[in-house]
Amino acid sequence: MNEFLQKLRRVIVGEKYTEKPVMKMTMLGARGVGKTSVLTSMYHNMNTAINSTKLHIVADKGTSDILNKKAEDLMRMFYGNASVNDAVHSGIAGDSQVSVFSFDFGLNTENINMSLEIRDFPGEFVKNNPDDVRQFIEESSAVIVAIDTPHLMEYGGRYNEGKNRTKLITELFRSVLNEHSGEKLIMLVPLKCEKYCHENRIDEVTEQVKRTYGELLQFLKSQKDETGKPRFACVITPIQTVGQIDFDCFGAINGTIAETSLDGLPVPMDVRYKYTKPGAKYSPVYCEQPLYYLLSFVSKQYLRLKDAKENQGWLQKLRKMWALTPNLNAMLLEVQKMDEKKVSNLDGFVTLFGRGKV
């Protein structure tokens, strides 16, 4: 009964009055790029993510209901006896609305003393409601930029801007981040990478991200802290969203790709995927990595800044947030165990700058 009343109280009083520190993460990316698929896989592999630690992570009821439903959608892609080259006809439908996912975590079920809130902002919302997105980015410890890899890579990147909106994302960061911003982790996350991993071309994906997002990277790297080092950490973390499904082709009519226009930019009308082997199974790879990177970043920031005499804005909030956490030292030790699971310098994972921060 006490647990029920505690949960009820959190719902009634809302985030503003809760004593529980909240970490925030922003996800940016086009509708249908695969952001929700990654979160769904992360959620359903949570036990694997924390199995060598004493940490306990649980989604709130609204989040678990959503992600369980999304998991059913993903599993439905693999129903039946899939044959090689069979077309894939199902998956998670894209959504033009903002999605909010909330998780609580701590050392055990009796010490759930921190929260993680992840907001998924689709491209349409970024364009039409930039002020709301800016505010959440300002409050966030980390920002994920989800990248549709086939649109990035195929046909010389002809369809990248129409799908991934690189310029829009770059201008958004320019309008939010400056010399007064707190330190943040920026993760560039190519999704649906299976084809390029299976063809041993994942390093090509990483290099294409560097080229295509060069203006954004140059801006982020130019923002320095008081020591003259990059204020922000930036990593590239490719994810195989479902595992045994590859990009096949963009749909064509009479040998010509069928295109439509989105704000004057060309995008394919039809994107086709295929199973990689008979009896293909749902087997995503690296979906937990953004969580590892986030916790590593925040915990290292606290350890580095906890004794600083002067810090303002986000850094001050960070220090206060962790200082309020019961059993903090024990919890940091468990977080550091997760840090050991981070992938780096492998399968296209690259730390571009801010290495000491992650």
Side-chain angles (χ1 to χ4, degrees), residues 103-358:
F103 302 85
D104 291 338
F105 68 95
L107 285 174
N108 49 53
T109 54
E110 287 74 37
N111 288 282
I112 298 295
N113 41 37
M114 294 194 74
S115 291
L116 169 63
E117 179 181 331
I118 303 174
R119 291 198 185 186
D120 170 5
F121 293 101
E124 298 92 330
F125 195 90
V126 173
K127 178 185 175 184
N128 298 325
N129 305 84
D131 290 342
D132 293 338
V133 182
R134 290 190 191 103
Q135 180 178 349
F136 199 79
I137 289 177
E138 288 175 351
E139 299 170 353
S140 293
S141 307
V143 183
I144 286 178
V145 178
I147 302 168
D148 188 296
T149 305
H151 288 77
L152 172 77
M153 294 293 292
E154 300 298 320
Y155 292 89
R158 170 176 171 78
Y159 303 112
N160 176 72
E161 192 61 39
K163 181 68 172 181
N164 290 316
R165 298 304 182 95
T166 309
K167 293 179 181 178
L168 176 66
I169 296 296
T170 300
E171 290 308 309
L172 177 65
F173 276 104
R174 285 186 183 277
S175 69
V176 176
L177 304 181
N178 53 50
E179 67 274 14
H180 303 297
S181 299
E183 299 178 0
K184 297 185 188 298
L185 170 63
I186 314 298
M187 290 181 271
L188 303 181
V189 185
L191 303 179
K192 306 174 184 174
C193 287
E194 285 84 348
K195 170 185 176 179
Y196 311 96
C197 291
H198 299 154
E199 294 178 354
N200 296 317
R201 298 172 54 202
I202 195 61
D203 289 339
E204 293 180 27
V205 173
T206 298
E207 291 304 313
Q208 184 71 348
V209 170
K210 292 179 184 178
R211 286 191 293 269
T212 304
Y213 289 82
E215 187 176 345
L216 171 61
L217 294 174
Q218 184 178 12
F219 166 72
L220 292 173
K221 193 173 183 179
S222 70
Q223 305 301 301
K224 307 294 185 180
D225 61 21
E226 63 279 2
T227 69
K229 295 181 180 179
R231 181 179 300 277
F232 310 116
C234 186
V235 298
I236 300 176
T237 58
I239 288 175
Q240 298 176 50
T241 310
V242 291
Q244 295 182 5
I245 291 177
D246 278 0
F247 167 76
D248 187 11
C249 64
F250 297 129
I253 299 175
N254 297 325
T256 301
I257 294 175
E259 296 180 352
T260 187
S261 177
L262 187 61
D263 294 333
L265 299 167
V267 289
M269 295 178 64
D270 181 25
V271 185
R272 300 176 183 176
Y273 295 84
K274 62 183 180 181
Y275 298 101
T276 60
K277 55 193 267 187
K281 296 181 179 179
Y282 175 61
S283 52
V285 181
Y286 295 141
C287 287
E288 302 89 355
Q289 288 299 315
L291 177 64
Y292 296 155
Y293 272 85
L294 170 66
L295 292 178
S296 173
F297 172 75
V298 175
S299 62
K300 286 182 180 179
Q301 291 307 92
Y302 174 77
L303 291 172
R304 186 167 63 84
L305 298 166
K306 67 176 182 177
D307 297 323
K309 295 181 179 180
E310 295 183 6
N311 54 64
Q312 298 177 350
W314 184 87
L315 300 182
Q316 187 178 53
K317 292 179 182 178
L318 171 69
R319 185 167 65 174
K320 289 181 178 179
M321 178 182 75
W322 283 89
L324 289 171
T325 305
N327 303 310
L328 176 60
N329 291 333
M331 185 170 173
L332 287 173
L333 286 174
E334 299 306 314
V335 168
Q336 288 169 1
K337 293 179 183 178
M338 295 181 71
D339 180 63
E340 297 172 359
K341 297 184 177 183
K342 287 204 330 286
V343 173
S344 60
N345 300 319
L346 177 71
D347 292 344
F349 281 68
V350 178
T351 299
L352 299 174
F353 45 86
R355 183 174 298 278
K357 302 179 189 294
V358 291

Side-chain angles (χ1 to χ4, degrees), residues 15-84:
E15 178 187 307
K16 181 177 181 181
Y17 299 102
T18 182
E19 296 178 358
K20 187 183 301 179
V22 179
M23 288 191 302
K24 296 182 178 182
M25 182 163 69
T26 305
M27 296 187 74
L28 304 173
R31 176 171 53 178
V33 74
K35 303 188 299 297
T36 305
S37 296
V38 169
L39 279 174
T40 301
S41 297
M42 182 180 77
Y43 170 63
H44 281 272
N45 287 296
M46 202 72 80
N47 288 335
T48 300
I50 62 175
N51 63 5
S52 63
T53 76
K54 296 178 182 178
L55 291 175
H56 188 87
I57 304 178
V58 59
D60 70 14
K61 186 178 186 308
T63 294
S64 63
D65 287 347
I66 292 172
L67 295 181
N68 283 329
K69 173 60 171 64
K70 300 297 185 183
E72 292 176 5
D73 294 341
L74 286 177
M75 297 302 178
R76 197 172 293 116
M77 300 170 68
F78 295 89
Y79 287 170
N81 297 316
S83 299
V84 176

